Amino acid sequence: MAASTPHPLALEPGSDTHLHAAPTGWRGITQRPWWPWLTRGLALAFFAVVAWLIVRQARTVDWPAVWQALQALPVSVLAVAGALALASHCTYGTFDLIGRHCTGHGLSRSTTLGIAMTSYPFTLNLGSLIGGVGVRYRLYERRGVGPGTIGQVVGTSIVTNWVGYLLLLAVLPWLWVAPAVAGWAVEPWQLRAGGALVSCLPIAYVALCALRAGRALTLRGHEFPLPHWPVALWQVAVSAANWMLMGAALWTVLQGQVSYSAALATVQLGAVAGLILRVPAGLGVLEAVGVALLATGAAGALGQDQVLAALLAYRALYYFVPLVLAAVAFGVAELRWRRGGNNDSNNTNPPKNQTKMACTAHP
């Protein structure tokens, strides 16, 4: 009997012939075993370069003079700056109240405000993953709020923070002229033109909220709740107020020897620089920006030691002291939860359709 000849496997029309094909292009590169090691190595190298630049700059500073300037700051000035910093932290805490309005979760206003004000110093000093996500998620989750609702609250807070920032960034070039830094200068009309473009973003956000009339925006299967336009306007206003309070706190420790717009520009540009460089608490970044914009030769009113002393005082009042208080509050909250002393954890999640519909109601 003749052996039968094997026939090639016939494929049905439309069958996926490349089901197990290796990915090509950029996607193929990112799935290589060595890719995570490469990205981690580049990140470490980047941080090493940034750290070296900060240390190199710090070695040129007359630190005894900075210490003397820091000791010379009046107690009344530090008290006013501390009050402004507290007002800013309270204002930031209201961002989560907007998220509460949009999601309809059942936590009280005081509890929501406390969670936001506890997580904010962690965000400032340790980064958004620890503060904005880690601490905030834990505090909300301990009180029975679901992950989806927490994500919407965090997302609303992020949007609120930046819409006001962008509005102030658009207005700032009309009030302040950027000094030449390292021989590099930008013409005022260029900054104003850039500000006009930036202003389109918060305006577009409010317009989108007005057009959607509270209906969620769906992108790639994910729903993003949008408030009614009055709430969107409130987001812009309260965010701008928060950034202005931060600028006022810095301007206070500078004892009014530079313009308020210059202090606000330092805070805003320092925040973006720290975000780009991914340095925890923007350590050294805010100081570098402040010296470049405010020291003698730039603003012309203060020396490097005075500027650094003011920036260090601002950092202590706005970053470090709140972090200590937030760590104590977080520890107390954990102890209360472990002892079963939290009475705000029941019935905190809205009904299934309430999260989607909460933003359709006017405040």
Side-chain angles (χ1 to χ4, degrees), residues 323-349:
L323 179 62
V324 173
L325 297 177
V328 173
F330 182 72
V332 170
E334 285 291 298
L335 288 175
R336 286 187 60 195
W337 183 86
R338 293 179 184 276
R339 294 175 180 176
N342 181 23
N343 297 320
D344 209 357
S345 60
N346 297 321
N347 301 322
T348 57
N349 283 312

Side-chain angles (χ1 to χ4, degrees), residues 58 134 148 184 204 227 262 274 321:
W184 183 78
V321 172

